[in-house]
Amino acid sequence: MLGYSVEMAADYFNGHQKYELIGGYFSPVSDYYQKEGLAPAHHRVQMCELATETSSTWLMVDSWEALQHSYQRTAVVIDHFDDELNNNMGGLTLPDGSTRKIQIMLLAGGDLIESMGRKDVWASEDLHHILGQFGCMVIERTGSDVWEFLLSHDILYEYKENIHVVKQVIYNDISSTKVRLFVKRKMSIKYLVPDAVM
């Protein structure tokens, strides 16, 4: 359940003195990503919109990535959010009228973090950019030992202060890959995704 994972991230920030959570975005990848089993980008954008419109006060959907005519690396997508929120919108306006830069972070599952060890998937310069300039929040997944992986990967270890690991209180190994497989096999996804998305 993706919704549960993002709420665990929100709980983490609510209990953290250094950060204040002001919002979160789903950014569906474009059709040019070409991952087997993905619904067309416009359908995924619509599913994300349906999932957030009545169930969250802080989650939003940004369709920029989905509308691109080529695959956009994660570093480029995070730069897009930084540009939109901090340059075009001027950052966060405080009660006294001053503004402050918004700290953008990548929210990822433990499996995505483990993929960062593969050079055929992630360019080193992208990892330095994402982790050094922005940071990452990792939701542990069942069977993933995020801390062990951080210790064994030089770039991730270099930026360990910018990587926030959220331990699952209630273990949940539901993933979008499993939901797509259930749909393909004509199995029920009720209670795994919001009713509006089904």
Side-chain angles (χ1 to χ4, degrees):
M1 281 187 209
L2 186 56
Y4 175 66
S5 294
V6 293
E7 291 304 324
M8 285 189 338
D11 288 343
Y12 175 89
F13 279 118
N14 289 336
H16 204 285
Q17 299 295 319
K18 186 177 176 184
Y19 300 101
E20 175 187 359
L21 179 67
I22 58 171
Y25 286 93
F26 286 115
S27 180
V29 70
S30 79
D31 290 330
Y32 295 92
Y33 184 58
Q34 298 181 342
K35 183 173 183 175
E36 185 181 338
L38 281 184
H42 67 279
H43 288 302
R44 287 182 282 110
V45 168
Q46 187 176 23
M47 285 187 276
C48 288
E49 288 170 343
L50 289 168
T52 59
E53 70 184 11
T54 59
S55 64
S56 180
T57 58
W58 65 277
L59 284 171
M60 299 159 272
V61 181
D62 184 271
S63 61
W64 178 85
E65 181 180 4
L67 296 173
Q68 299 307 300
H69 296 291
S70 63
Y71 168 68
Q72 302 298 308
R73 297 178 341 274
T74 303
V76 172
V77 176
I78 292 177
D79 283 340
H80 157 73
F81 281 104
D82 187 44
D83 186 54
E84 285 297 315
L85 295 170
N86 287 311
N87 296 334
N88 295 341
M89 294 175 59
L92 180 65
T93 302
L94 301 175
D96 66 3
S98 64
T99 59
R100 175 174 63 163
K101 184 178 191 282
I102 297 170
Q103 176 65 48
I104 312 293
M105 280 191 190
L106 173 65
L107 175 62
D111 54 340
L112 182 79
I113 290 300
E114 288 179 354
S115 78
M116 290 181 173
R118 295 183 45 199
K119 292 182 184 202
D120 62 324
V121 177
W122 293 88
S124 294
E125 52 274 8
D126 282 356
L127 292 178
H128 283 288
H129 181 67
I130 294 166
L131 300 174
Q133 184 172 339
F134 300 105
C136 184
M137 169 159 276
V138 183
I139 306 295
E140 261 190 343
R141 282 252 172 102
T142 306
S144 292
D145 187 342
V146 175
W147 287 113
E148 181 180 327
F149 186 73
L150 290 178
L151 282 171
S152 66
H153 191 281
D154 291 340
I155 296 173
L156 273 67
Y157 189 76
E158 177 181 347
Y159 298 109
K160 66 184 178 298
E161 297 300 319
N162 293 346
I163 300 172
H164 305 268
V165 179
V166 178
K167 206 152 185 53
Q168 287 195 52
V169 179
I170 298 172
Y171 286 97
N172 171 3
D173 70 345
I174 300 298
S175 66
S176 56
T177 301
K178 287 183 180 178
V179 170
R180 285 193 302 275
L181 181 62
F182 278 30
V183 169
K184 181 179 180 180
R185 302 281 187 244
K186 300 187 182 348
M187 297 170 70
S188 175
I189 57 171
K190 188 159 184 74
Y191 308 115
L192 301 180
V193 299
D195 287 344
V197 174
M198 296 189 322

